[in-house]
Amino acid sequence: MRFLHTADWHIGKKLHDFSLAEDQTAAFDQIERLAKDYQVDAVVIAGDLYDRGLASEQAVEQLNGMLKQLNLNDHLPLLAISGNHDSAARLATGSEWFETTDFYLHTTLASAFEPVTIMDTQFFLLPFFNLQAVRNYFEQDVKTISQAMTLIVDQMKQLFDPDKKHVLVAHFFAAGSTHTDSEIQVEVGGLDAVPTTLLKDFDYVALGHLHNPRALNEERMRYSGSPLKFSVSEANLQKGVWIVDTNPFKLTWAPLQPKHDLIILEGSFDELTQGKIAAQYDQTQDYVAIRLTDTKLISDLMNRLRARYPKIVEIKRPNQQDDASIATMTMASHDPLMLLDEFYEKVHPDQQLDDQQRQWASAALTKVEEEEN
Amino acid sequence: MRFLHTADWHIGKKLHDFSLAEDQTAAFDQIERLAKDYQVDAVVIAGDLYDRGLASEQAVEQLNGMLKQLNLNDHLPLLAISGNHDSAARLATGSEWFETTDFYLHTTLASAFEPVTIMDTQFFLLPFFNLQAVRNYFEQDVKTISQAMTLIVDQMKQLFDPDKKHVLVAHFFAAGSTHTDSEIQVEVGGLDAVPTTLLKDFDYVALGHLHNPRALNEERMRYSGSPLKFSVSEANLQKGVWIVDTNPFKLTWAPLQPKHDLIILEGSFDELTQGKIAAQYDQTQDYVAIRLTDTKLISDLMNRLRARYPKIVEIKRPNQQDDASIATMTMASHDPLMLLDEFYEKVHPDQQLDDQQRQWASAALTKVEEEEN
């Protein structure tokens, strides 16, 4: 069989106050087009369908419309799981009825052990989970995500039909991955990564969580990445989906074209407002991250740049030591490790946190978060 | 055919900080039992399934479980509409799939003109609507709910199958109704009532909105009322559901027994804490509204009464002119008309607002609300 693997739609997400609804609809239309052109037998969505557990009415209508289009209008089987950004309870609404039309939306750990068979393949749909859910389900103490995944995979393997291919759909941080800014919770909640060796018995692992499709380069374990660039750190990534053939196994990358791109423009204030860059990008509808090379103070900076670039999502001044005078907006990401990095760099301008220090900080943050839960 | 008519479940509602989840489950269990015992062919839920548009995860799970139980486990056709307390957009999630198992959940005005036929009856499911939706749908100016309903009913009648019975399921304030405290929005948004004469061509009108099942006593138009007492003004109402036979037409009232009742206890502080009432109701798990007849100031009143009656939802002191010294809690309802009534009574202790004055005030409030929207 052949399926399309996507994830991290984050419907309802805003990019620094700019709604992405239109961009998301445009990306969805391309995904639908690809599903038809490649004549796939199913579409896999590996978590984070919504950006927030409490999605707005607009986001609810948008996602409902997309799922209806794929499943009821295009008659495509859907295989989806809840991610860490979704409210599993809310997302589950209607899921028992969805199965009447081959739309399998799994939001509980227990449902990961109810494989869905489509043609030659058994799909195991493992939603985002926390350790407590694993402790409750297996009735034993579990201290790390690796321990949890060992139990989970063992149980799945007992359900393997030897005549079928076996695909895992999951939403977590797999070991070895590099990552981008917009997966905030990865670093805090999921630092304790899943080693890819635990997943080797699957014919393919369709992952969600990281927005970079190259975050993992195992032949048979992939992140699809998000359909859109959700942070400046993703500016240079190509977005797309995987088309996966199960027999013989084959992986095909199908890129998506953004309706509005996210670009980084670097230059002096004069270059950005009067020079070549200004001429080329004047009134661009792309989302723009500015790298301002001047060191002098510039009055009314944001408004003057916005007159040229209406959708500025970030301004950074790499040559200015004390950038307190302008809003860098990076605070908005609220990622504790990133903030720690930035703070450390301020205090020790010549060095960065080393790996050991980052590990200590992460462990401490994970502990704090566990206690909060 | 025979169907069960209920409405105004308000899942997620709290009674002055006390969760009603357990009471709602108990009422639901009885409704399910009645549906089975009476061997009904369908269950009608006439709006306000949730108490709030943004229901909590717990409320979402509770309602999802109830709907699944009736439709997927008991195989009962369901006919439901969104009420003014529901978010139509959120409630609509999954509705296209629900129809595969005869669960019809209508949340848009347009869908009111897609009658659902079950056995000998055409059901017209009209969700709660505002005038703007009617203007948009019919592309003409509409000033009152009566005008709107004239257009709506005319369009429905064009769809009448003469060989069938015709049942309207709706959620609004029908003329002639008396009402209780917990339907806050009725008085503000819906004062412009629907005259029952407009609805005379239906064989039965299954209404939601008012919590008193006797609010309307037309033979073929009824409010089912809420399954639970949601305010002190409902303390003396009997709750239940209607069992409706279409041919020959027959209406049967089936009462529900509350797991915890809502009762009014009146007496002096001494009677309530040491006398006969105290002995009879000591540690009652019912919700209690206190009518305290003393006029003197009593220190630490609430805590001392709660030691006896753990679930006090209101204290009123009918004999005390100046009751500012204790929390009467009626402010919590935030119903502008009720507050106006109370204020007027304070200023003119011997008279109440007359009908003309109430009408002026309501019209003003409706206008303000329309402008806010």
Side-chain angles (χ1 to χ4, degrees):
Chain A
M1 73 167 296
R2 172 182 287 176
F3 62 91
L4 184 152
H5 165 202
T6 177
D8 295 277
W9 288 8
H10 288 270
I11 301 300
K13 189 170 176 65
K14 291 179 185 218
L15 202 56
H16 294 288
D17 286 343
F18 297 108
S19 165
L20 291 171
E22 225 185 287
D23 303 271
Q24 285 168 315
T25 295
F28 170 81
D29 290 344
Q30 291 176 60
I31 291 173
E32 185 195 13
R33 183 77 263 152
L34 288 168
K36 288 179 180 171
D37 288 350
Y38 278 97
Q39 298 181 290
V40 301
D41 304 302
V43 171
V44 167
I45 314 172
D48 284 358
L49 282 69
Y50 284 116
D51 190 53
R52 303 193 299 137
L54 251 179
S56 68
E57 287 197 344
Q58 193 199 8
V60 169
E61 285 178 342
Q62 189 174 18
L63 181 67
N64 283 350
M66 291 171 171
L67 299 174
K68 182 185 161 192
Q69 179 62 25
L70 290 178
N71 184 242
L72 292 186
N73 297 359
D74 299 336
H75 304 291
L76 280 163
L78 296 189
L79 302 145
I81 55 173
S82 46
N84 55 312
H85 279 253
D86 300 304
S87 154
R90 291 179 206 281
L91 193 66
T93 299
S95 52
E96 295 91 351
W97 282 266
F98 297 161
E99 306 201 349
T100 55
T101 57
D102 285 330
F103 172 12
Y104 302 92
L105 172 57
H106 286 195
T107 58
T108 65
L109 181 57
S111 63
F113 309 112
E114 296 161 9
V116 175
T117 301
I118 297 182
M119 301 167 76
D120 65 8
T121 301
Q122 268 186 316
F123 287 91
F124 292 82
L125 308 180
L126 174 63
F128 177 79
F129 59 89
N130 60 38
L131 289 182
Q132 194 52 51
V134 180
R135 288 180 200 120
N136 294 348
Y137 183 84
F138 289 98
E139 292 178 352
Q140 56 178 280
D141 193 27
V142 173
K143 288 210 166 47
T144 66
I145 301 263
S146 295
Q147 283 176 2
M149 275 309 292
T150 304
L151 290 170
I152 289 168
V153 171
D154 281 351
Q155 178 135 342
M156 285 176 174
K157 280 159 72 176
Q158 290 173 27
L159 299 163
F160 274 18
D161 177 342
D163 297 331
K164 301 285 182 187
K165 302 291 177 185
H166 311 105
V167 169
L168 174 66
V169 179
H171 190 94
F172 51 54
F173 184 26
S177 311
T178 60
H179 54 270
T180 58
D181 283 359
S182 63
E183 306 110 17
I184 295 161
Q185 306 219 14
V186 174
E187 297 176 286
V188 182
L191 236 218
D192 181 15
V194 177
T196 51
T197 47
L198 284 184
L199 311 174
K200 63 180 172 15
D201 292 319
F202 291 97
D203 293 286
Y204 182 69
V205 183
L207 288 164
H209 200 28
L210 302 187
H211 295 179
N212 179 356
R214 312 288 164 195
L216 196 64
N217 282 309
E218 306 279 335
E219 194 201 341
R220 292 179 175 235
M221 293 173 208
R222 296 282 179 161
Y223 287 97
S224 65
S226 52
L228 294 182
K229 299 174 182 179
F230 288 133
S231 83
V232 178
S233 66
E234 299 172 40
N236 297 319
L237 300 179
Q238 192 195 51
K239 298 297 188 176
V241 301
W242 292 109
I243 305 294
V244 185
D245 286 292
T246 55
N247 196 15
F249 181 78
K250 190 178 144 203
L251 210 51
T252 309
W253 176 250
L256 300 170
Q257 299 307 322
K259 182 174 172 77
H260 306 111
D261 206 350
L262 195 168
I263 58 175
I264 299 174
L265 298 182
E266 177 159 348
S268 67
F269 185 74
D270 286 347
E271 288 168 334
L272 287 165
T273 51
Q274 301 159 39
K276 218 170 64 181
I277 304 174
Q280 187 179 347
Y281 292 100
D282 187 31
Q283 303 309 318
T284 178
Q285 290 304 300
D286 288 347
Y287 303 100
V288 176
I290 301 278
R291 298 285 174 266
L292 193 67
T293 53
D294 310 72
T295 54
K296 65 177 187 295
L297 200 71
I298 298 165
S299 70
D300 201 21
L301 176 64
M302 184 54 109
N303 283 330
R304 290 163 76 189
L305 286 172
R306 277 204 179 130
R308 207 42 94 176
Y309 314 105
K311 298 202 254 177
I312 295 177
V313 296
E314 184 179 277
I315 299 178
K316 280 196 174 173
R317 307 189 65 166
N319 301 331
Q320 196 179 48
Q321 277 299 97
D322 175 14
D323 56 2
S325 58
I326 54 157
T328 68
M329 295 198 210
T330 59
M331 284 292 285
S333 75
H334 291 307
D335 172 6
L337 257 194
M338 206 192 313
L339 293 178
L340 183 66
D341 270 346
E342 286 179 11
F343 175 73
Y344 195 84
E345 270 189 72
K346 283 260 193 297
V347 181
H348 303 286
D350 301 329
Q351 36 180 140
Q352 293 190 325
L353 283 173
D354 65 29
D355 282 353
Q356 181 62 60
Q357 288 169 319
R358 288 178 65 88
Q359 216 168 307
W360 285 334
S362 303
L365 287 166
T366 305
K367 190 142 178 278
V368 166
E369 205 209 19
E370 290 231 341
E371 278 165 11
E372 276 177 353
N373 293 341
Chain B
M1 75 168 293
R2 171 181 288 173
F3 63 90
L4 184 152
H5 165 202
T6 176
D8 297 277
W9 288 9
H10 288 270
I11 301 300
K13 187 170 179 63
K14 293 182 183 211
L15 201 56
H16 295 289
D17 286 344
F18 299 108
S19 165
L20 291 173
E22 225 184 284
D23 303 270
Q24 284 169 316
T25 295
F28 170 81
D29 290 345
Q30 291 175 60
I31 291 173
E32 185 195 13
R33 185 75 262 152
L34 287 168
K36 289 179 180 171
D37 289 350
Y38 278 97
Q39 298 182 289
V40 301
D41 303 303
V43 171
V44 166
I45 315 172
D48 284 358
L49 282 69
Y50 285 116
D51 191 52
R52 304 193 297 138
L54 251 178
S56 70
E57 287 197 344
Q58 194 200 6
V60 169
E61 285 178 342
Q62 190 174 18
L63 181 67
N64 283 349
M66 291 170 172
L67 298 174
K68 181 183 160 193
Q69 179 62 25
L70 290 178
N71 184 242
L72 292 186
N73 297 0
D74 299 337
H75 303 292
L76 280 164
L78 295 188
L79 302 145
I81 55 173
S82 47
N84 55 312
H85 278 253
D86 300 305
S87 155
R90 291 179 204 282
L91 193 66
T93 300
S95 52
E96 295 90 353
W97 282 266
F98 296 160
E99 305 200 351
T100 55
T101 57
D102 285 329
F103 172 10
Y104 302 90
L105 172 57
H106 287 196
T107 58
T108 64
L109 181 57
S111 62
F113 308 111
E114 295 162 9
V116 175
T117 300
I118 298 182
M119 302 168 74
D120 66 7
T121 301
Q122 267 186 317
F123 287 90
F124 292 82
L125 309 179
L126 172 64
F128 176 79
F129 59 90
N130 59 39
L131 289 182
Q132 194 53 50
V134 180
R135 288 180 199 119
N136 294 348
Y137 183 84
F138 289 99
E139 294 179 352
Q140 56 176 281
D141 193 28
V142 172
K143 288 209 165 51
T144 67
I145 301 262
S146 295
Q147 282 176 2
M149 275 309 293
T150 303
L151 289 169
I152 290 168
V153 171
D154 280 351
Q155 178 135 341
M156 285 176 174
K157 279 158 74 176
Q158 289 173 27
L159 299 162
F160 274 20
D161 177 343
D163 297 332
K164 301 284 182 188
K165 302 290 178 184
H166 311 106
V167 169
L168 173 66
V169 179
H171 190 95
F172 51 54
F173 184 26
S177 308
T178 60
H179 53 271
T180 57
D181 284 0
S182 64
E183 306 110 20
I184 295 161
Q185 308 218 15
V186 174
E187 297 175 288
V188 182
L191 236 221
D192 182 14
V194 176
T196 50
T197 47
L198 283 182
L199 311 173
K200 64 181 172 11
D201 291 319
F202 291 97
D203 293 287
Y204 182 68
V205 183
L207 288 163
H209 201 27
L210 302 188
H211 296 178
N212 179 355
R214 312 287 165 197
L216 197 63
N217 283 308
E218 306 278 336
E219 196 201 339
R220 291 178 176 235
M221 295 174 205
R222 295 283 179 160
Y223 287 97
S224 65
S226 52
L228 294 181
K229 299 174 182 178
F230 288 133
S231 84
V232 178
S233 65
E234 300 172 38
N236 297 318
L237 299 179
Q238 192 195 49
K239 298 298 188 175
V241 301
W242 292 110
I243 305 295
V244 185
D245 286 291
T246 54
N247 196 14
F249 181 77
K250 190 178 143 202
L251 209 52
T252 308
W253 175 249
L256 300 170
Q257 297 307 322
K259 184 176 170 76
H260 306 111
D261 206 348
L262 196 169
I263 56 176
I264 299 175
L265 298 182
E266 177 160 348
S268 67
F269 184 74
D270 287 346
E271 287 167 337
L272 287 165
T273 53
Q274 300 159 39
K276 219 170 67 182
I277 303 174
Q280 186 180 348
Y281 291 101
D282 187 31
Q283 303 308 318
T284 179
Q285 291 304 299
D286 288 346
Y287 303 101
V288 176
I290 301 278
R291 298 285 174 268
L292 194 65
T293 53
D294 310 72
T295 53
K296 65 178 186 294
L297 201 71
I298 298 165
S299 71
D300 201 22
L301 175 65
M302 183 56 109
N303 282 331
R304 290 163 76 189
L305 286 173
R306 277 206 178 127
R308 206 42 93 176
Y309 315 104
K311 298 202 254 176
I312 294 177
V313 297
E314 184 179 278
I315 299 179
K316 281 197 173 172
R317 305 187 66 166
N319 300 331
Q320 196 177 47
Q321 277 299 95
D322 173 16
D323 55 3
S325 58
I326 55 157
T328 68
M329 295 197 209
T330 59
M331 283 292 285
S333 76
H334 292 307
D335 171 6
L337 256 195
M338 205 192 312
L339 294 177
L340 183 65
D341 269 347
E342 287 179 9
F343 176 72
Y344 195 84
E345 271 189 71
K346 283 258 193 301
V347 180
H348 303 286
D350 301 327
Q351 38 180 140
Q352 292 190 326
L353 284 172
D354 64 30
D355 281 354
Q356 180 62 59
Q357 288 169 319
R358 288 179 65 90
Q359 216 170 308
W360 285 334
S362 304
L365 287 165
T366 305
K367 188 140 180 278
V368 167
E369 204 205 22
E370 289 229 345
E371 279 164 9
E372 276 177 354
N373 291 342

